[in-house]
Amino acid sequence: MDLSQIKMVATDMDGTLLNSKGEVSRQFFELFEELRQLGVIFVAASGRQYYSIIDKLKPIKDDIYVIAENGALTMHQNNELQTTEIDRETYLELLEIARKLEGSQVILCGRKKGYIEDYGQDFVDMFSEFYDRYEIVEDLAEITDDTYLKIAICNQKGSEKYLYPALKHLENKLKVKVSGEIWLDLSHNLANKGHALQQLQQHYGILPEETMVFGDYNNDLEMMGTATYSFAMQNAHPNVKAIANYTTKSNNDNGVEYMLSKMIASKKTTIM
């Protein structure tokens, strides 16, 4: 495994770069400074809202690329590089379907903010960890002054068992992604982390063998295919472990930082 040629690193956030408390380690920020000095491009790629991602990575937010909402939005220094949205007709059709899923909460992930109906304070407390900007509205169908990037659906009993079976028939025209234990996302078919990352690779002329990616859940699968050095976290979903070329330590054991340290050491040895 020759890590000395790496020019781009992309990592998921929840379950990957963030520990189980939703924190970024001090070690990561120290390693990032070394990456920057070595000219390595860093990409944070998450199902989270853009504003939530940059809040977690505030000290370096102007030095990184951000792929948000599972690839529906790519940003750099607060500049919008690409959006892949759902049209209003499709949005309303999906909203009608999602509202019929018993025991579930529906979120419209817009470009400006996230939108929810009143599901109670407990849900808001949980939801606000992932959405830095949001609004509680009377009717999600009445949102007309924002871009529809994604519909996220939450079911506390489990997304893979209680949501995916009811929505997998939509996969012929949309991305239907189990993105976490209680989350499922519906978005445009091209709105995925892999497609968004490929656009950045093409822009910079960076090859898969010059790319390192990290992920833990099904919304990372397409991203795994963009890099020779694809790493599943030890805590990753079996689907991710099956497709990734390598495995690293868990998010709580700083698995991303562990491999970044190895890569940095390899590049420094080559330079010397």
Side-chain angles (χ1 to χ4, degrees), residues 194-250:
H195 183 257
L197 187 60
Q198 282 179 327
Q199 290 180 312
L200 290 176
Q201 287 174 311
Q202 290 168 7
H203 177 76
Y204 283 102
I206 293 176
L207 301 173
E209 53 265 36
E210 298 170 327
T211 307
M212 174 184 280
V213 302
F214 300 89
D216 76 308
Y217 232 84
N218 290 340
N219 57 333
D220 298 316
L221 291 174
E222 290 89 352
M223 186 168 68
M224 292 288 120
T226 67
T228 299
Y229 297 101
S230 55
F231 289 84
M233 308 303 291
Q234 188 60 51
N235 53 288
H237 189 284
N239 291 347
V240 180
K241 288 184 176 180
I243 198 172
N245 291 328
Y246 302 95
T247 303
T248 186
K249 298 178 181 181
S250 75

Side-chain angles (χ1 to χ4, degrees), residues 12-18 22 46-48 129-130 216 220 251:
D12 172 53
M13 296 290 287
D14 295 278
T16 304
L17 183 61
L18 303 180
S46 176
R48 282 177 176 254
E129 161 63 22
F130 307 97
D216 76 308
D220 298 316
N251 62 320

Side-chain angles (χ1 to χ4, degrees), residues 86-100:
I86 304 170
D87 62 79
R88 178 163 175 78
E89 181 180 359
T90 301
Y91 165 65
L92 292 175
E93 290 175 0
L94 295 176
L95 180 61
E96 184 178 355
I97 294 170
R99 280 174 162 169
K100 294 176 181 177

